[in-house]
Amino acid sequence: MQKNKKALVLLNMGGARNKDELKMFLTNMFNDENILTINIDFIRSIIANFIVKKRLDSAWENYEKIGNASPINPLTEKLVDKCNEKIEEFKTYQAMRYTPPFANDVLEQIKKDGINEILLFPLYAQFSTTTTKSSVQDFIGNIPYEGFTVKYIEEFYKNDKFNDCIVNEVIRNIDDKKEYNLIFSAHGLPQKIVKKGDPYEEQMNEHVEILSKKLDEKGIKFKSINLAYQSKVGPLKWLEPSLEDMLKNFKDENVIIYPISFIVDNSETDFELDIEYREIAHKLGISEYKVCRCVNDSDEFIEAIKDIIKN
């Protein structure tokens, strides 16, 4: 029994530890009605299986370039350990949407620990139906019995301590003697999802405005500050501008990338941003290309979590 403690559950998408888990990740993701927005489960399952078969081998080749596993798992474990060390009123757990540990297993552990108050903390600063809603819906849907009180953090991109984490990471990566173009790179979404009312794009624009103002207040000047979207797949129209198109503006210039939609480093940061887009930047003639790390398990982010959950 964890006397007088509440459960703080960190929610995220998950990431593969091997090729079998990559298949699991892709299968679960494309069967998610918030991702593949097809109302009929049977049809969505057929399409999902087709996509997985088509993409698995090429996706695994990308994983091989980052050590055969996503960094999200060890980094999240470190984050959980630090939260348990420094946030006394909560016992912290993690639950992933598409790979272990899954919500049902985490709920079983919370029950064994004798805790009945749960605060869900989706590790997505901006709300989207494809991330926050999907993860919260999945967790609550796995509660098999009454007796739990569940609340969740909807978004936290306006939190000042969290934004200090981002600004400080950007500052750590710049050379005072050079001019940089700062690009906040966000995971893309099909435009049809935004048109249905998803607030992600609006919140992303507002978040960039907040961070731009904070950088200006600190006297940190950039040649330009931009927002672009990465990770487009398939034939649908996605949010624009794409990161590749944005990079075309900066031949012979210096670029620094901050992965604004991610809290913990993963395949999208370590492969896409640090390898795939770096190669594109090199081909485009960009002089210097830097990628910032996510907030991960930093002490600064632990303090931000404390601030976010205190209300």
Side-chain angles (χ1 to χ4, degrees):
M1 172 80 68
Q2 302 290 320
K3 188 176 180 181
N4 299 325
K5 286 203 174 186
K6 302 173 186 177
L8 177 65
V9 183
L10 308 180
L11 303 178
N12 212 333
M13 293 288 99
R17 299 169 180 85
N18 51 56
K19 192 172 182 179
D20 286 341
E21 277 201 1
L22 180 58
K23 184 177 181 181
M24 176 194 296
F25 180 97
L26 294 172
T27 300
N28 289 336
M29 181 173 68
F30 288 115
N31 274 285
D32 183 348
E33 62 184 7
N34 292 291
I35 301 292
L36 203 58
T37 54
I38 297 168
N39 293 329
I40 302 171
D41 292 348
F42 175 68
I43 294 175
R44 186 171 61 250
S45 177
I46 291 173
I47 296 173
N49 288 338
F50 173 77
I51 294 172
V52 172
K53 286 180 181 178
K54 187 176 180 181
R55 292 190 184 169
L56 179 60
D57 288 340
S58 60
W60 180 246
E61 287 176 7
N62 298 341
Y63 267 77
E64 288 177 327
K65 294 175 183 175
I66 57 171
N68 300 316
S70 171
I72 198 172
N73 296 300
L75 287 171
T76 305
E77 287 164 10
K78 288 180 181 179
L79 177 58
V80 169
D81 288 345
K82 275 196 176 180
C83 286
N84 277 321
E85 180 185 335
K86 298 188 177 186
I87 307 177
E88 293 181 358
E89 63 270 34
F90 286 88
K91 180 171 182 184
T92 304
Y93 307 80
Q94 59 156 320
M96 297 295 189
R97 181 67 179 90
Y98 304 132
T99 55
F102 291 118
N104 56 342
D105 297 320
V106 177
L107 279 159
E108 190 61 35
Q109 186 59 55
I110 292 171
K111 182 184 176 184
K112 286 179 181 176
D113 291 338
I115 299 174
N116 55 24
E117 287 189 63
I118 300 174
L119 177 61
L120 302 179
F121 192 110
L123 292 174
Y124 325 108
Q126 310 84 14
F127 180 93
S128 174
T129 56
T130 61
T131 52
T132 308
K133 179 188 174 187
S134 177
S135 290
V136 170
Q137 196 175 54
D138 174 66
F139 192 93
I140 293 174
N142 273 280
I143 296 176
Y145 43 82
E146 295 180 358
F148 280 131
T149 301
V150 183
K151 297 179 181 179
Y152 73 94
I153 305 296
E154 189 166 291
E155 42 79 7
F156 56 90
Y157 68 94
K158 297 177 185 177
N159 182 268
D160 197 54
K161 289 183 183 293
F162 170 63
N163 286 321
D164 279 338
C165 296
I166 295 175
V167 166
N168 291 339
E169 171 65 10
V170 171
I171 292 171
R172 275 192 290 270
N173 279 276
I174 59 176
D175 182 337
D176 291 341
K177 297 176 183 177
K178 295 181 180 179
E179 273 194 323
Y180 289 91
N181 298 282
L182 173 59
I183 303 174
F184 289 106
S185 183
H187 196 289
L189 273 187
Q191 286 190 352
K192 71 172 188 176
I193 291 177
V194 174
K195 286 179 180 177
K196 287 180 179 178
D198 192 301
Y200 179 76
E201 182 183 24
E202 181 182 342
Q203 292 187 4
M204 198 61 72
N205 286 326
E206 187 178 5
H207 196 189
V208 170
E209 287 179 13
I210 292 168
L211 292 166
S212 299
K213 184 178 179 183
K214 187 174 274 287
L215 285 162
D216 186 61
E217 288 170 350
K218 287 180 175 286
I220 307 299
K221 304 296 182 184
F222 289 92
K223 194 169 182 181
S224 68
I225 297 179
N226 314 272
L227 171 62
Y229 295 92
Q230 66 184 88
S231 309
K232 179 185 184 301
V233 292
L236 294 176
K237 191 171 180 62
W238 281 47
L239 292 176
E240 295 178 337
S242 70
L243 180 54
E244 184 169 356
D245 285 344
M246 179 62 69
L247 290 171
K248 291 174 183 176
N249 298 318
F250 303 122
K251 186 177 187 298
D252 298 324
E253 297 183 30
N254 302 317
V255 169
I256 184 164
I257 308 283
Y258 187 87
I260 190 172
S261 59
F262 300 107
I263 301 300
V264 179
D265 283 312
N266 54 78
S267 61
E268 281 88 355
T269 59
D270 281 25
F271 173 72
E272 280 189 35
L273 290 181
D274 219 8
I275 297 176
E276 190 172 41
Y277 285 106
R278 184 180 298 280
E279 291 175 359
I280 291 170
H282 178 72
K283 289 176 182 175
L284 291 171
I286 289 172
S287 296
E288 184 176 41
Y289 175 90
K290 288 189 174 185
V291 179
C292 297
R293 309 315 299 171
C294 294
V295 294
N296 292 320
D297 64 326
S298 66
D299 291 340
E300 283 180 294
F301 183 50
I302 302 297
E303 293 306 309
I305 291 174
K306 288 182 184 178
D307 193 56
I308 292 162
I309 66 178
K310 73 182 180 183
N311 299 320

